Structures are given as C-alpha cells and as structure tokens.
Amino acid sequence: MAMDVVDYEIKGSEMQFVEVELDPGEAAVGEAGSLFFMDAGIGMDTVFGDGSNQGGGGFFGKLLGAGKRLITGESLFTTVYTNQAPQKQRVAFGAPYPGKIIPMDLRQLGGMLVCQKDSFLCAARGVSLGIYFQQKLSVGFFGGEGFIMQKLEGDGLAFVHAGGTVVKRELQPGQTLMVDTGCVVAFTPNVNFEIQYVGKIKTALFGGEGLFFAKLSGPGTVWLQSLPFSRLASRVFAAAPQNGGSREQGSVLTGVAGGGLLGGILGGGDDD
C-alpha cells in the first residue's frame, strides 16, 4: 500500500505531543488511547491490526495483522484518522508519560525499524506494524523488555515515544555499546543485540543495575532512553503507601499528634 506523506510538528518539552497535518484523503494510524485532539473534518475508523492492509488480504489477512499486535502485548485494534474535508486538517497524539517523541523516517532507515513493543505512538497510513523475534534465546529470557519486539516497516513516517532524555548513537562496524536492558528504545535491524552478564556476583547483587546488560554492536543506529517506564513505575510503587491507605492519611505519629492538637484546639472551650 502506498504511504501517505504527512507534515508534522512536535510540541512541548517534557510532556510532548505530535500534531500531524493531513491533506484531503490522507490518514494517520494511532495507537489505542493516544489521541489528543483532532479537527472536525477528520473521520475515525477502528480497524483490525495496523490499518496497512485495509482493502486487501481479506478477513484472514486482517486477522493475521491483529494477531501480530496481540502477541506484542498491544491492542487488537488501531484507529485510522482520515481527512474527509476538502482542506487540510490536523490530528494530534499525546505521549503517555514524560519523555520525547522521535520522528522516524523509515525511508531513510532502510524501510525497517525494530523498537520496544510499547514505544509506538502513531504513523502515516501504510506503515506496517509487525513482530520481531530476537534470534537468541538469551535476549528473550534475560532482556528485561521481552523476547518479542515491534517491527515498523514501510517508507513513511512513524513516531516513537521514549522516556526521559533520548540519545541517538551511530555505531561503527565492530563498535560495541553496553546499555541497561530497559533503556533500549529502537535500533536498525543490522545492529547485533545480545545480552551479557555483568560479570561479578557482588555487582550483580548489590549494584542495583540488574544481572545483565544489553550489548549492542555496530554497524547501525540505536536510540536510547534515560528513563524507561518500568524504572519510573518501580520508583512510584516503592514510594506508595504499602498498607493500602492513601498518602493523605499520613503516618501514625502525624495522625496521633495532629489529631490530638486539632482536638485540643476545637475542644478547648469545653474546659471553661
């Protein structure tokens, strides 16, 4: 299917969104729950899979595309936003947590990009969303983010979201980069992705960085994130009250002292 060529603008700093401009008849595909706003002339259509095979392949082709998304842990459905007006219209997609939105021109990347399964945000219609199996079982067992990653194919624009600050590294042939497993956002398919043990028991147990590193070897391009969502979620969980109560309840000491003080103030007139 021919790719739609769209214009876009990324806005914001920590909590970004991408605003896509569609000519009449053009469309964008968004991940479920990613819509921010859209002009009134844009029509929405929820479809099986990624929308790249609509009008071809029949029911089983669409079912196969939806099944690929289900394997990667994503929804069976995506939403296609089509400009049905005679003039240009805009639709915007918001990032799910603090970080950066990265525009990926698949034409310049050789037609394919491998990324973490929850990093895809939206794309021009025609970009195919598939699954990418790691060739080595060690990556699947110890890779932190799973054996199955997402594969974006085509020659159009796709937008990927990463947490915190994004670093792009160009690896030369034979050049190797050691990265925390959760910090890998995406890489071109010619990059060799392996898992390596940290090497020392003491470092593995008490270093706080886990047992394994992601070993990325060139040539190719990799994108890294400084704040994976898994790390953010673990910090939030660790700071949350563990007894099922809310933060507003305060500690036992605060409750007793505050309650006694408040009771003394409100009930002070009873002693007179």
Side-chain angles (χ1 to χ4, degrees):
M1 181 179 181
M3 306 288 165
D4 285 350
V5 180
V6 299
D7 297 320
Y8 71 93
E9 185 176 1
I10 296 175
K11 299 182 179 180
S13 52
E14 286 77 18
M15 288 297 294
Q16 293 188 327
F17 69 93
V18 56
E19 190 172 330
V20 179
E21 184 180 77
L22 301 175
D23 292 333
E26 287 185 340
V29 180
E31 189 60 84
S34 63
L35 175 67
F36 182 19
F37 65 83
M38 64 180 183
D39 290 336
I42 290 180
M44 297 174 56
D45 185 21
T46 300
V47 298
F48 263 131
D50 55 19
S52 63
N53 196 31
Q54 302 305 305
F59 172 76
F60 288 104
K62 297 176 183 179
L63 188 61
L64 179 60
K68 291 179 180 179
R69 290 179 48 77
L70 186 63
I71 291 175
T72 60
E74 305 294 341
S75 170
L76 279 172
F77 301 91
T78 54
T79 304
V80 179
Y81 301 86
T82 306
N83 182 5
Q84 301 174 344
Q87 64 276 351
K88 292 184 178 182
Q89 300 282 284
R90 287 177 172 261
V91 58
F93 303 91
Y97 53 91
K100 301 296 181 182
I101 296 175
I102 316 170
M104 300 289 192
D105 188 344
L106 298 181
R107 185 191 304 272
Q108 297 181 1
L109 297 174
M112 178 179 168
L113 181 73
V114 180
C115 60
Q116 296 291 359
K117 59 186 180 181
D118 59 350
S119 61
F120 171 74
L121 185 65
C122 62
R125 179 176 56 186
V127 172
S128 174
L129 312 180
I131 54 177
Y132 180 84
F133 289 100
Q134 296 293 345
Q135 297 178 356
K136 298 188 177 181
L137 290 178
S138 60
V139 178
F141 291 137
F142 309 115
E145 299 301 324
F147 179 63
I148 300 173
M149 302 182 76
Q150 203 164 46
K151 178 174 62 176
L152 308 180
E153 291 182 291
D155 58 4
L157 270 175
F159 298 90
V160 172
H161 179 258
T165 301
V166 177
V167 175
K168 179 181 178 182
R169 292 290 300 269
E170 298 285 350
L171 300 180
Q172 301 303 315
Q175 183 180 1
T176 298
L177 191 65
M178 309 298 290
V179 187
D180 180 273
T181 55
C183 293
V184 179
V185 179
F187 52 88
T188 51
N190 50 332
V191 171
N192 185 34
F193 183 23
E194 300 180 4
I195 294 299
Q196 181 168 312
Y197 177 57
V198 295
K200 296 181 180 180
I201 295 295
K202 183 175 66 173
T203 303
L205 294 179
F206 306 112
E209 302 300 332
L211 297 173
F212 303 93
F213 287 130
K215 181 181 178 181
L216 302 167
S217 302
T221 307
V222 299
W223 289 263
L224 310 175
Q225 58 185 351
S226 64
L227 182 61
F229 180 72
S230 57
R231 184 180 297 176
L232 175 63
S234 65
R235 296 297 175 89
V236 172
F237 179 78
Q242 300 299 313
N243 59 0
S246 62
R247 179 67 72 181
E248 287 76 15
Q249 291 177 330
S251 65
V252 175
L253 180 61
T254 304
V256 172
L261 179 60
L262 183 60
I265 294 175
L266 297 179
D270 296 338
D271 297 333
D272 295 337

